[in-house]
Amino acid sequence: MPVVKSRPSLLPVIIGTGFGSGFWPWGPGTAGAVLATAVWLALHALLTFVALEVTTVVLILLFTLLGTWATRRLTPYWGDDPSRVVVDEMVGVWVALLPVAGWQATQLSADVWPMALAALLLFRFFDIVKPLGIRALDRRQGPFWVMADDLLAGLYSAVIILLIRVF
């Protein structure tokens, strides 16, 4: 007879909850997005422009895969798309921050902070309101779709940041 675990394994919990930020009781998605922005800003302070761009892309790809895996492992315990799974918000805000990395190549470094904040706020707006196909992705079932709506919200945010940079 198989043994039934009463709680999920620790590694999927750590990844899925964005290193625990998903347990924040007031807006866990925002907590995950703020943590991801703080991590990105720390990387911005340490890395060159090219290294930051590459690192951001690697984080997006790696945590999309890890987030999908962790979500698959957590849904039997916590249900479909539980609010404490925030790795999707982390990945989405990193997508939104991709064009901000280029900001340091053309502007003063101090200008990066307001643009990072703008990327975070735009991402949260798209993630909460869910316009332009984001809601349709959010309604789909399965671990990848938990990630997909936030990837699209991040993409929309990145486009707006790019438009701000151009104009």
Side-chain angles (χ1 to χ4, degrees), residues 44 100-116:
H44 170 267
V100 177
W103 198 265
Q104 80 178 25
T106 59
Q107 303 289 324
L108 297 173
S109 186
D111 291 342
V112 172
W113 288 83
M115 293 308 296

Side-chain angles (χ1 to χ4, degrees), residues 11-133:
L11 186 59
V13 171
I14 291 169
I15 293 167
T17 63
F19 305 97
S21 62
F23 291 114
W24 180 255
W26 306 284
T30 299
V34 167
L35 174 64
T37 303
V39 166
W40 187 89
L41 285 167
L43 291 171
H44 170 267
L46 298 171
L47 302 175
T48 66
F49 160 68
V50 174
L52 181 60
E53 285 282 309
V54 170
T55 301
T56 304
V57 169
V58 168
L59 285 172
I60 292 166
L61 295 174
L62 179 64
F63 277 86
T64 297
L65 293 172
L66 288 173
T68 302
W69 170 81
T71 302
R72 180 174 289 117
R73 299 289 302 266
L74 294 171
T75 53
Y77 300 95
W78 295 347
D80 292 329
D81 201 3
S83 63
R84 66 185 114 181
V85 171
V86 298
V87 67
D88 49 332
E89 277 84 5
M90 294 176 70
V91 170
V93 82
W94 286 330
V95 170
L97 287 163
L98 266 173
V100 177
W103 198 265
Q104 80 178 25
T106 59
Q107 303 289 324
L108 297 173
S109 186
D111 291 342
V112 172
W113 288 83
M115 293 308 296
L117 179 61
L120 171 65
L121 294 175
L122 283 166
F123 169 72
R124 288 306 291 152
F125 168 78
F126 284 114
D127 187 33
I128 292 167
V129 176
K130 300 192 184 311
L132 306 170

